[in-house]
Amino acid sequence: MVNSTDFSDPARRIIVALDVPDRDGLLRLVRALRGHVGMFKVGKELFTSLGPTAIELIKEEGGEVFLDLKFHDIPNTVAGAVRSAARHGVAMLTVHTSGGSAMLKAAVESAREMVSAPLVVGATVLTSLSAKDLDDIGMSGPPEQAVLRLGALGLEVGLDGLVASPRELPAIRERFGSKPFMVVPGIRPKGAASHDQQRIATPAKAVSDGADFLVIGRPITQADDPVAAAAAIADALVEVE
Ligand code: C5P
């Protein structure tokens, strides 16, 4: 198996979010982009549509899988979900840090019991949420405070890393150092549409602020030429490395 965290080729930092509803969309993107990016992210749209077949198809095509279902449930249920994901051979998966300490600990422990343990990373605050949105759901204070609080909770029980917006990266690296893997969505190359994302940055800025993996969806998947879009992003990263 390829080492998921070897970034000697900056293109390996790119995780393409396969937010497509069907097998054809998946195969079109994976066949075009394998070898040009690091991993493929299976999220709620694709998994709800194809189930574990989505993971199998990507692996059959030689891709590595980041399963982003943001598990958030009672500890026993999440532990079982993590075991199931590990059996499917995913390289990395997400749990939601707002599930609390016991749930996060159960996720970490069940991953480590598996023969090929996936990296377990904790989603903190969705990059689509603004400070006002957080206020509306009772999480008052700036997003950065919530990210640091939830991040501390996850890293204390041994999560391998966190998912956070590029805006919080400097504060996260200052508080938690260089060890946790930072998986960062909300990435937009210069001039690209922001869509529904609020707290965004360019690929180069995110990596220079401490991102390990960049989760990129629409700027690649909806480009006329997805391979050229991914290559342009990787090129922009060479200057930062
Ligand atoms: O198309 P775009 O680049 O905005 O896609 C970003 C991807 O990252 C989506 O699949 C979304 O589910 C995911 N994500 C996010 N914010 C988080 C965690 C995951 O946007 N905090």
Side-chain angles (χ1 to χ4, degrees), residues 15-19 41-44 66 68 70 94 96 123-129 163-165 183-188 193-197 199-200 215-222:
I15 299 179
V16 178
L18 294 176
D19 292 323
K41 181 170 93 79
V42 174
K44 293 192 169 84
F66 171 33
D68 181 28
K70 302 183 184 68
T94 47
H96 210 299
T124 53
V125 176
L126 294 178
T127 43
S128 56
L129 298 179
V163 185
S165 103
V183 179
V184 181
I187 300 298
R188 289 295 179 268
S194 59
H195 305 106
D196 50 356
Q197 297 286 19
R199 307 193 318 280
I200 59 179
V215 177
I216 309 177
R218 289 161 290 184
I220 293 177
T221 59
Q222 293 184 1

Side-chain angles (χ1 to χ4, degrees), residues 39-77:
M39 279 193 223
F40 293 97
K41 181 170 93 79
V42 174
K44 293 192 169 84
E45 179 177 0
L46 189 55
F47 195 83
T48 304
S49 166
L50 292 188
T53 302
I55 301 170
E56 283 154 25
L57 288 171
I58 296 167
K59 292 186 66 193
E60 273 167 29
E61 295 295 329
E64 280 192 80
V65 178
F66 171 33
L67 185 65
D68 181 28
L69 297 179
K70 302 183 184 68
F71 294 140
H72 185 178
D73 211 309
I74 60 170
N76 185 56
T77 300

Side-chain angles (χ1 to χ4, degrees), residues 95-117:
V95 291
H96 210 299
T97 50
S98 54
S101 185
M103 186 207 85
L104 296 168
K105 192 158 181 268
V108 169
E109 285 174 355
S110 68
R112 304 237 162 106
E113 281 163 13
M114 303 305 285
V115 182
S116 79

